[in-house]
Amino acid sequence: MNALRAAGFDAIIDVRSPAEYAEDHIPGAISMPVLSDAERAIVGTIYKQESPFKARKIGAALVARNAAHHIETQLMGHDGGWRPLVYCWRGGQRSGSFAAILQQIGWRAEVLSGGYRTWRRHVVSKLYDATLPFRVIRLDGFTGTAKTEVLQRVAALGGQVLDLEGLACHRGSILGDVVGPQPAQKGFETALVAAFAGFDPQRPLLVEAESARIGALRLPPALWVAMRHAPRIVLAAEPMARSRYLARIYADLMADRAGLSRRLNGLRALAGHAVVDDWLTMLEAGQAEALAASLIALHYDPAYGRLRHGDPTAIIAQIDAGDLGDAALDRAAQAVLAALV
């Protein structure tokens, strides 16, 4: 990614289909598909079942038509010095055709050699084949100790922070997703590499303690290994304060009784039918704090205890988050930042 920036391109254009782009793309790339998802499927079927030559003829007509649309609707404002980088899946016909049309106009279009696969190999090398060049520190603590909010406040104070739940669009617990769906695994990994590119290896990197999965997404090996061996800063708060905090920050989920009921019912195998029935009764009665307190006592804290049992990593600071109000969280964030040495 740094090499692409250094090359001085004015734009990066992804000409793959919308579905391919949605799954993952080079950071900052603009989607200008030369084949729609349906058109790509049709051309591929003709190529395999009828004739490669027929498929190329039909594909060429579609590419030319779609390229004309993009030029007319999005590219007319560029002058003759405009220099875009164009890529498709492997730097083949789709990107070559589109770049050739742009070159004929007079623009200094170039094709990314190897296409998207070149980018994907770069991501894999960073997250699967290499060791992270950062000194990772985990922000740990029981559920409801406001780890995510403290993490964000540390970032606002100038700390170097990786917000995994934000990138994964998931709250990292049974209460689940944030607004919108999670990204695809490849898109999540691209977001991680893009975030790492902006970090200073000479400064500690604060990451919220997570399991190997956040919702449906897996933490890639380089990050997971670094986190498993990272020292911890532990936040603490009394169960009553944590119950109030969870009831407040998950008010939207508490209001969605049908959705939360489905999530709670999914815990029957772990918690037992009687416990889950009690949770559902509290939910129906609107007893948000009581429900949060029971989840803490019977689900979250036992799970955290099992997860941390025998954890050999060092604890470099234990910080009291008090009543988890704004002033207390500000103080906790400042204490966390001071401990990042």
Side-chain angles (χ1 to χ4, degrees):
M1 185 165 61
N2 290 334
L4 292 180
R5 290 172 179 163
F9 292 103
D10 297 312
I12 301 175
I13 299 175
D14 186 326
V15 299
R16 297 175 304 153
S17 70
E20 291 174 291
Y21 179 87
E23 180 184 30
D24 186 31
H25 53 270
I26 295 175
I30 303 165
S31 178
M32 292 188 188
V34 294
L35 293 176
S36 69
D37 295 322
E39 290 167 345
R40 180 170 175 254
I42 290 169
V43 171
T45 299
I46 293 172
Y47 186 95
K48 292 178 180 179
Q49 297 182 2
E50 296 186 41
S51 160
F53 181 64
K54 181 179 179 181
R56 284 194 291 270
K57 286 191 295 182
I58 294 173
L62 292 170
V63 167
R65 188 176 305 141
N66 290 326
H69 172 75
H70 296 315
I71 292 167
E72 290 171 345
T73 59
Q74 299 183 68
L75 304 181
M76 282 298 190
H78 296 297
D79 61 24
W82 187 56
R83 184 172 175 245
L85 178 68
V86 182
Y87 73 91
C88 59
W89 175 252
R90 57 188 176 192
Q93 291 182 335
R94 286 184 289 177
S95 56
S97 298
F98 190 59
I101 293 171
L102 299 185
Q103 290 165 355
Q104 288 299 312
I105 293 171
W107 287 317
R108 298 183 298 150
E110 297 182 31
V111 172
L112 175 62
S113 177
Y116 165 79
R117 294 194 304 178
T118 295
W119 169 254
R120 182 60 190 166
R121 283 193 293 269
H122 169 72
V123 171
V124 169
S125 71
K126 293 289 186 182
L127 298 180
Y128 287 81
D129 302 331
T131 300
L132 285 190
F134 305 105
R135 182 164 60 88
V136 175
I137 296 175
R138 285 181 292 164
L139 183 63
D140 205 356
F142 284 104
T143 296
T145 51
K147 295 186 295 295
T148 299
E149 192 165 349
V150 169
L151 193 83
Q152 293 167 348
R153 293 179 187 228
V154 171
L157 292 171
Q160 186 162 257
V161 164
L162 177 66
D163 183 2
L164 286 174
E165 292 187 1
L167 294 178
C169 295
H170 199 277
R171 286 166 167 146
S173 73
I174 62 155
L175 297 180
D177 51 292
V178 190
V179 177
Q182 289 192 271
Q185 180 69 32
K186 289 180 179 178
F188 175 58
E189 292 173 0
T190 279
L192 286 172
V193 169
F196 291 150
F199 291 148
D200 180 357
Q202 303 304 313
R203 299 176 61 203
L205 177 62
L206 185 66
V207 179
E208 184 173 343
E210 301 282 358
S211 64
R213 301 185 74 94
I214 305 178
L217 300 174
R218 304 180 308 277
L219 297 185
L223 177 58
W224 178 235
V225 169
M227 290 175 61
R228 283 176 55 198
H229 295 94
R232 292 178 285 151
I233 296 172
V234 179
L235 292 177
E238 293 297 324
M240 185 177 296
R242 293 160 56 203
S243 300
R244 288 196 301 267
Y245 180 78
L246 285 179
R248 175 168 60 83
I249 66 166
Y250 290 138
D252 57 333
L253 289 175
M254 297 289 186
D256 179 15
R257 292 181 180 178
L260 186 50
S261 293
R262 287 193 297 272
R263 297 170 195 265
L264 295 175
N265 277 315
L267 293 175
R268 288 185 178 275
L270 290 173
H273 293 294
V275 170
V276 173
D277 287 342
D278 285 344
W279 289 343
L280 294 176
T281 298
M282 295 176 199
L283 177 61
E284 186 62 28
Q287 298 171 336
E289 287 189 23
L291 174 57
S294 186
L295 281 166
I296 284 171
L298 300 178
H299 175 69
Y300 284 126
D301 284 7
Y304 179 88
R306 290 190 298 270
L307 186 64
R308 292 292 175 260
H309 178 69
D311 188 337
T313 55
I315 297 175
I316 60 177
Q318 298 195 58
I319 295 168
D320 184 358
D323 64 1
L324 300 171
D326 278 340
L329 294 182
D330 280 341
R331 289 192 295 270
Q334 291 163 357
V336 169
L337 186 63
L340 292 177
V341 295

Coordinates of all heavy atoms in Angstrom, one line a residue, residues 303-338:
A303 N -17.2 -17.3 32.3 CA -16.5 -17.5 31.1 C -15.1 -16.8 31.1 O -14.1 -17.4 30.6 CB -17.3 -17.0 29.9
Y304 N -15.1 -15.6 31.6 CA -13.8 -14.9 31.7 C -12.9 -15.6 32.6 O -11.7 -15.7 32.3 CB -14.1 -13.5 32.3 CG -12.8 -12.6 32.4 CD1 -12.4 -11.9 31.4 CD2 -12.1 -12.6 33.6 CE1 -11.2 -11.1 31.5 CE2 -11.0 -11.8 33.8 CZ -10.5 -11.1 32.7 OH -9.4 -10.3 32.9
G305 N -13.4 -16.2 33.8 CA -12.5 -16.9 34.7 C -11.9 -18.1 34.0 O -10.7 -18.4 34.2
R306 N -12.7 -18.8 33.2 CA -12.1 -20.0 32.5 C -11.1 -19.5 31.4 O -10.0 -20.2 31.3 CB -13.2 -20.7 31.8 CG -14.2 -21.5 32.7 CD -15.1 -22.4 32.0 NE -16.0 -21.7 31.0 CZ -17.2 -21.2 31.4 NH1 -17.7 -21.4 32.6 NH2 -17.9 -20.6 30.5
L307 N -11.4 -18.4 30.8 CA -10.5 -17.9 29.7 C -9.1 -17.5 30.3 O -8.1 -17.7 29.7 CB -11.1 -16.8 29.0 CG -10.4 -16.2 27.8 CD1 -10.3 -17.3 26.7 CD2 -11.1 -15.0 27.3
R308 N -9.1 -16.9 31.5 CA -7.9 -16.3 32.1 C -7.2 -17.3 33.0 O -6.2 -17.0 33.5 CB -8.2 -15.0 32.8 CG -8.6 -13.9 31.8 CD -7.4 -13.5 31.0 NE -7.8 -12.5 30.0 CZ -8.1 -12.8 28.7 NH1 -8.0 -14.0 28.3 NH2 -8.5 -11.8 27.8
H309 N -7.8 -18.4 33.3 CA -7.2 -19.4 34.2 C -5.9 -19.8 33.7 O -5.8 -20.4 32.6 CB -8.2 -20.6 34.4 CG -7.6 -21.6 35.4 ND1 -7.4 -21.4 36.7 CD2 -7.1 -22.9 35.1 CE1 -6.9 -22.5 37.3 NE2 -6.7 -23.4 36.3
G310 N -4.9 -19.6 34.5 CA -3.5 -20.0 34.1 C -2.9 -19.1 33.1 O -1.8 -19.5 32.5
D311 N -3.5 -18.0 32.8 CA -2.8 -17.1 31.8 C -1.5 -16.6 32.3 O -1.4 -15.9 33.4 CB -3.8 -15.9 31.6 CG -3.3 -15.0 30.4 OD1 -2.1 -15.0 30.1 OD2 -4.2 -14.3 29.8
P312 N -0.4 -16.9 31.6 CA 0.9 -16.6 32.2 C 1.4 -15.2 31.9 O 2.5 -14.8 32.3 CB 1.8 -17.6 31.5 CG 1.2 -17.8 30.1 CD -0.3 -17.7 30.4
T313 N 0.6 -14.4 31.1 CA 1.1 -13.1 30.7 C 1.1 -12.1 31.8 O 0.3 -12.2 32.7 CB 0.2 -12.5 29.5 OG1 -1.1 -12.5 29.9 CG2 0.3 -13.4 28.3
A314 N 2.1 -11.2 31.8 CA 2.3 -10.3 32.9 C 1.1 -9.2 32.9 O 0.6 -8.8 31.8 CB 3.6 -9.6 32.7
I315 N 0.8 -8.8 34.1 CA -0.2 -7.7 34.3 C 0.7 -6.5 34.7 O 1.3 -6.5 35.7 CB -1.2 -8.0 35.4 CG1 -2.1 -9.2 35.0 CG2 -2.1 -6.8 35.7 CD1 -3.0 -9.7 36.0
I316 N 0.7 -5.5 33.8 CA 1.6 -4.3 34.0 C 0.9 -3.2 34.8 O 1.6 -2.3 35.3 CB 2.2 -3.8 32.7 CG1 1.1 -3.3 31.8 CG2 3.1 -4.8 32.1 CD1 1.6 -2.7 30.5
A317 N -0.5 -3.3 34.9 CA -1.2 -2.3 35.7 C -2.6 -2.8 35.9 O -3.2 -3.5 35.0 CB -1.2 -1.0 34.9
Q318 N -3.1 -2.5 37.1 CA -4.5 -2.8 37.4 C -5.2 -1.5 37.7 O -4.7 -0.8 38.6 CB -4.7 -3.8 38.5 CG -4.1 -5.1 38.2 CD -4.5 -6.2 39.2 OE1 -5.7 -6.5 39.3 NE2 -3.6 -6.9 39.8
I319 N -6.2 -1.1 37.0 CA -6.8 0.2 37.1 C -8.3 0.1 37.5 O -9.1 -0.6 36.9 CB -6.7 0.9 35.7 CG1 -5.2 1.2 35.4 CG2 -7.4 2.3 35.7 CD1 -4.9 1.6 34.0
D320 N -8.6 0.9 38.5 CA -10.0 0.9 39.0 C -10.8 1.9 38.2 O -10.5 3.1 38.1 CB -10.0 1.3 40.5 CG -11.4 1.3 41.1 OD1 -12.4 1.0 40.4 OD2 -11.6 1.6 42.3
A321 N -11.8 1.4 37.5 CA -12.7 2.2 36.6 C -13.8 2.8 37.4 O -14.7 3.4 36.8 CB -13.2 1.4 35.4
G322 N -13.9 2.7 38.7 CA -14.8 3.4 39.5 C -16.3 3.0 39.2 O -16.6 1.9 38.9
D323 N -17.1 4.1 39.1 CA -18.5 3.9 38.8 C -18.8 3.8 37.3 O -20.0 3.7 36.9 CB -19.4 4.9 39.5 CG -19.1 6.3 38.9 OD1 -18.3 6.5 38.0 OD2 -19.7 7.3 39.4
L324 N -17.8 3.9 36.5 CA -17.9 3.8 35.0 C -18.7 5.0 34.4 O -19.2 4.9 33.3 CB -18.6 2.5 34.6 CG -17.8 1.2 35.0 CD1 -18.6 0.0 34.8 CD2 -16.5 1.1 34.3
G325 N -18.7 6.1 35.2 CA -19.3 7.3 34.6 C -18.2 8.0 33.8 O -17.1 7.6 33.7
D326 N -18.6 9.1 33.2 CA -17.7 9.9 32.3 C -16.4 10.3 33.0 O -15.3 10.1 32.4 CB -18.4 11.1 31.7 CG -19.3 10.8 30.5 OD1 -19.1 9.7 29.9 OD2 -20.2 11.6 30.2
A327 N -16.5 10.8 34.2 CA -15.3 11.3 34.9 C -14.4 10.1 35.2 O -13.2 10.2 35.1 CB -15.7 12.1 36.1
A328 N -15.0 9.0 35.7 CA -14.3 7.8 36.0 C -13.6 7.2 34.8 O -12.4 6.8 34.9 CB -15.2 6.8 36.7
L329 N -14.3 7.2 33.7 CA -13.7 6.6 32.5 C -12.5 7.5 32.0 O -11.5 7.0 31.4 CB -14.7 6.4 31.4 CG -15.8 5.4 31.7 CD1 -16.8 5.2 30.6 CD2 -15.1 4.0 32.1
D330 N -12.7 8.8 32.1 CA -11.6 9.8 31.7 C -10.4 9.5 32.6 O -9.2 9.4 32.1 CB -12.0 11.2 31.9 CG -12.9 11.7 30.8 OD1 -12.8 11.1 29.7 OD2 -13.6 12.7 31.0
R331 N -10.6 9.3 33.9 CA -9.4 9.0 34.8 C -8.8 7.6 34.4 O -7.6 7.5 34.4 CB -9.9 9.0 36.2 CG -10.2 10.4 36.8 CD -10.4 10.3 38.3 NE -11.5 9.5 38.7 CZ -12.7 10.0 38.9 NH1 -13.0 11.3 38.6 NH2 -13.7 9.2 39.2
A332 N -9.7 6.7 34.1 CA -9.1 5.3 33.7 C -8.3 5.4 32.5 O -7.3 4.8 32.3 CB -10.3 4.4 33.6
A333 N -8.8 6.2 31.5 CA -8.1 6.3 30.2 C -6.7 7.0 30.4 O -5.7 6.6 29.8 CB -8.9 7.1 29.2
Q334 N -6.7 8.0 31.3 CA -5.4 8.6 31.5 C -4.5 7.7 32.3 O -3.2 7.7 32.0 CB -5.7 9.9 32.4 CG -6.4 11.0 31.6 CD -7.0 12.1 32.6 OE1 -6.9 11.9 33.8 NE2 -7.6 13.1 32.0
A335 N -5.0 6.9 33.1 CA -4.1 5.9 33.8 C -3.6 4.8 32.9 O -2.5 4.4 33.0 CB -4.9 5.2 35.0
V336 N -4.5 4.4 31.9 CA -4.0 3.4 30.9 C -2.9 4.0 30.1 O -1.9 3.4 29.8 CB -5.2 3.0 30.1 CG1 -4.7 2.2 28.8 CG2 -6.2 2.1 30.9
L337 N -3.1 5.3 29.6 CA -2.1 5.9 28.8 C -0.8 6.0 29.5 O 0.3 5.8 29.0 CB -2.6 7.3 28.4 CG -1.7 8.1 27.4 CD1 -1.6 7.3 26.1 CD2 -2.3 9.5 27.2
A338 N -0.9 6.3 30.8 CA 0.4 6.5 31.6 C 1.1 5.1 31.8 O 2.3 5.1 31.9 CB 0.0 7.0 33.0

